Amino acid sequence: MSDNLTFPPGFIWGAATAAYQIEGAWDTDGKGESIWDRFAHTPGKIAGGDTGDMACDHYHRWQEDVAHMAALGLSSYRFSIAWTRVFPDGGAQPNQRGLDFYRRLVEALNSRGIAPAVTLYHWDLPQALQDRGGWLNRDTALRFAEYAAFLFRQLGGEVPLWITHNEPFMQAFYGHGTGENAPGHRNPWEILTVGHHLLLSHGLAVEAFRAAAPRPASPAAPAPQIGIVLFIWPQHAASDSPRDLAANSVVDGSMNRLFLAPLFADGYPDDILRHFARRGMRPAVRPGDMAIIGRPLDFLGINTYTRLINRAAPRDLLSGARQLPPHGPTTAMGWEIYPDCIGEALRKAREYTTLPLFIAENGAAFDDVVGPDGTVDDQPRVDYLRAHIAAARRAIAEGIDLRGYYIWTLMDNFEWSKGLGKRFGLIYTDFTTQRRIWKRSAHWYRDVIARNGLPQE
Ligand code: IFM
């Protein structure tokens, strides 16, 4: 690490995906219906009428995809398990064929030296549990802990990094507040209860993990670890006026502190509880819950892509804030390209915990096209990644214990309500033929991994 481009030895270079976004095969081999299957099949919910029915057809093409990961040189691959493949109706009866799919995938990754990082829940709740109230029903947290315990028993030792949830913020606020995500509820009064049950289910799963104490596959391998992945987006006030500062603090409180504080400090932040209580919103906390939620973890994963600039907007029911337009160039999502999001998100996490940190997702959508010569020249993504990885390197130089960086995402996939049109991948997916084409950024990332750092410009 003699220069400011090289990373510490053993730094983890990864790529991330999620089950519903890549697998397809939505009703194959006994898989049950999830809330995303139901939501995407509801007309008008997804741009262009797209669904994840096929997505990248990874369920059938996983061997080819693992070969791409190996060719990239990934040290880790983060993916999620579809609860409904393993327990089709969210109950206690496992589906062997679903479990076998993940067992084969985990074995293939390990055999190629790619450490599996497994997310248990990336938003695809069994529809059968949704029919019984979903995350509004405290019982769903108990069902989640059983599902998690089953996987710890089955695959625990083969998976070095277990992640309970991906971005509980999104499930709570977008699934239940704006309705942009499944299950599509537009009922802000549900948000805090859903968020609380997600966190409770996380804590119960951590307890199940400690009880199972999965042993590493080989004595030389490190013991499997457990953590959670939070969405941490830096928030900036539009001005120094007390109103803008207060509005900014509410957005930061809702997106970031509402999840960091109960996990790592002493409960929900008072200012945010008061803010929501004035709107009649309260989490359904029972005695003992906060101790479960705060069970010690082994690491924290952070997803960060940009920043938001907030100005007071008293008419906004939920936050009392509005976001200003981005202050510079944006990605195809309309998100400002703001590389300091990496350092700011890591420092925010550091206010709450000294655990090892991972950037569990970072990346960009651009309007990539296959050129006449059959290549995909995504130089804007290379520029984005270079700037963000450089920011990660600066954070390490500051003393932040950052252990790894996962690009979102391995290959273009189903970007939730935006459908198949938002391309975030290192690898271009032709959704008609399912052909994969390495973009310029994939070649570039392979080089970064091989040299364990950034090339000179
Ligand atoms: O595609 C999503 C992912 O599922 C969760 N984090 C943000 C990504 C880009 O929007």
Side-chain angles (χ1 to χ4, degrees), residues 21 122-123 166-167 305 335 361 408 415-416 424:
Q21 294 181 269
H122 200 121
W123 312 347
N166 179 74
E167 301 175 1
Y305 289 81
W335 298 345
E361 285 182 23
W408 186 269
E415 177 56 21
W416 307 112
F424 274 90

Side-chain angles (χ1 to χ4, degrees), residues 30-114:
K31 180 182 168 295
E33 185 189 23
S34 79
I35 56 174
W36 267 96
D37 295 317
R38 178 71 62 93
F39 189 69
H41 291 157
T42 307
K45 297 296 185 192
I46 312 293
D50 290 340
T51 71
D53 290 2
M54 174 70 84
C56 307
D57 197 26
H58 170 76
Y59 186 76
H60 296 112
R61 296 168 193 265
W62 62 273
Q63 285 159 304
E64 177 191 344
D65 293 334
V66 172
H68 285 298
M69 296 173 213
L72 281 165
L74 296 186
S75 31
S76 180
Y77 170 53
R78 175 176 171 233
F79 64 97
S80 78
I81 290 185
W83 187 341
T84 50
R85 280 202 198 284
V86 182
F87 291 100
D89 63 1
Q93 194 52 48
N95 171 34
Q96 190 61 43
R97 288 176 294 175
L99 178 64
D100 287 346
F101 169 69
Y102 295 111
R103 192 187 294 288
R104 283 192 292 267
L105 178 59
V106 164
E107 279 171 9
L109 292 168
N110 280 325
S111 73
R112 300 209 180 214
I114 304 169

Side-chain angles (χ1 to χ4, degrees), residues 52-245:
D53 290 2
M54 174 70 84
C56 307
D57 197 26
H58 170 76
Y59 186 76
H60 296 112
R61 296 168 193 265
W62 62 273
Q63 285 159 304
E64 177 191 344
D65 293 334
V66 172
H68 285 298
M69 296 173 213
L72 281 165
L74 296 186
S75 31
S76 180
Y77 170 53
R78 175 176 171 233
F79 64 97
S80 78
I81 290 185
W83 187 341
T84 50
R85 280 202 198 284
V86 182
F87 291 100
D89 63 1
Q93 194 52 48
N95 171 34
Q96 190 61 43
R97 288 176 294 175
L99 178 64
D100 287 346
F101 169 69
Y102 295 111
R103 192 187 294 288
R104 283 192 292 267
L105 178 59
V106 164
E107 279 171 9
L109 292 168
N110 280 325
S111 73
R112 300 209 180 214
I114 304 169
V118 172
T119 309
L120 290 164
Y121 186 77
H122 200 121
W123 312 347
D124 44 358
L125 186 73
Q127 182 62 40
L129 292 183
Q130 185 62 45
D131 294 342
R132 300 208 287 278
W135 289 109
L136 283 167
N137 182 349
R138 188 179 170 94
D139 186 60
T140 297
L142 309 183
R143 301 285 80 76
F144 177 77
E146 286 172 7
Y147 152 66
F150 176 80
L151 286 169
F152 299 148
R153 286 195 299 275
Q154 296 292 328
L155 299 177
E158 268 67 51
V159 173
L161 296 174
W162 286 96
I163 294 153
T164 54
H165 283 282
N166 179 74
E167 301 175 1
F169 165 84
M170 288 297 290
Q171 177 76 84
F173 280 77
Y174 278 62
H176 291 261
T178 68
E180 195 179 321
N181 281 4
H185 293 191
R186 286 196 191 134
N187 189 345
W189 286 270
E190 296 180 0
I191 290 173
L192 293 189
T193 295
V194 166
H196 182 66
H197 289 157
L198 286 164
L199 288 173
L200 180 65
S201 76
H202 154 84
L204 292 169
V206 173
E207 289 184 343
F209 183 82
R210 301 295 180 214
R215 295 254 178 95
S218 80
Q225 300 193 335
I226 192 156
I228 189 169
V229 168
L230 298 180
F231 175 100
I232 303 185
W233 285 22
Q235 306 298 328
H236 293 191
S239 77
D240 287 341
S241 79
R243 281 160 38 101
D244 285 349
L245 289 171

Side-chain angles (χ1 to χ4, degrees), residues 301-434:
I302 295 166
N303 294 351
T304 194
Y305 289 81
T306 184
R307 65 159 172 182
L308 297 180
I309 306 168
N310 301 298
R311 103 154 11 131
R315 290 221 192 116
D316 184 277
L317 167 73
L318 215 50
S319 63
R322 275 275 151 75
Q323 275 81 51
L324 291 191
H327 279 190
T330 63
T331 69
M333 296 291 278
W335 298 345
E336 181 182 344
I337 299 175
Y338 182 74
D340 284 342
C341 68
I342 297 276
E344 291 181 24
L346 289 167
R347 284 192 288 277
K348 180 100 201 163
R350 185 51 79 238
E351 290 170 22
Y352 288 85
T353 176
T354 55
L355 284 176
L357 302 175
F358 289 90
I359 294 296
E361 285 182 23
N362 173 244
F366 289 106
D367 295 326
D368 304 316
V369 288
V370 183
D373 60 354
T375 65
V376 182
D377 184 354
D378 62 338
Q379 187 60 40
R381 180 171 294 97
V382 173
D383 296 342
Y384 177 101
L385 293 175
R386 182 178 176 97
H388 287 73
I389 292 173
R393 180 62 187 80
R394 287 197 296 276
I396 293 172
E398 272 173 36
I400 287 180
D401 186 7
L402 178 66
R403 300 286 176 93
Y405 173 89
Y406 291 80
I407 287 184
W408 186 269
T409 177
L410 178 69
M411 55 198 165
D412 299 335
N413 58 43
F414 178 85
E415 177 56 21
W416 307 112
S417 64
K418 307 279 190 298
L420 298 167
K422 298 294 177 204
R423 294 181 174 275
F424 274 90
L426 292 169
I427 298 174
Y428 184 95
T429 307
D430 180 326
F431 292 107
T432 311
T433 62
Q434 288 299 340

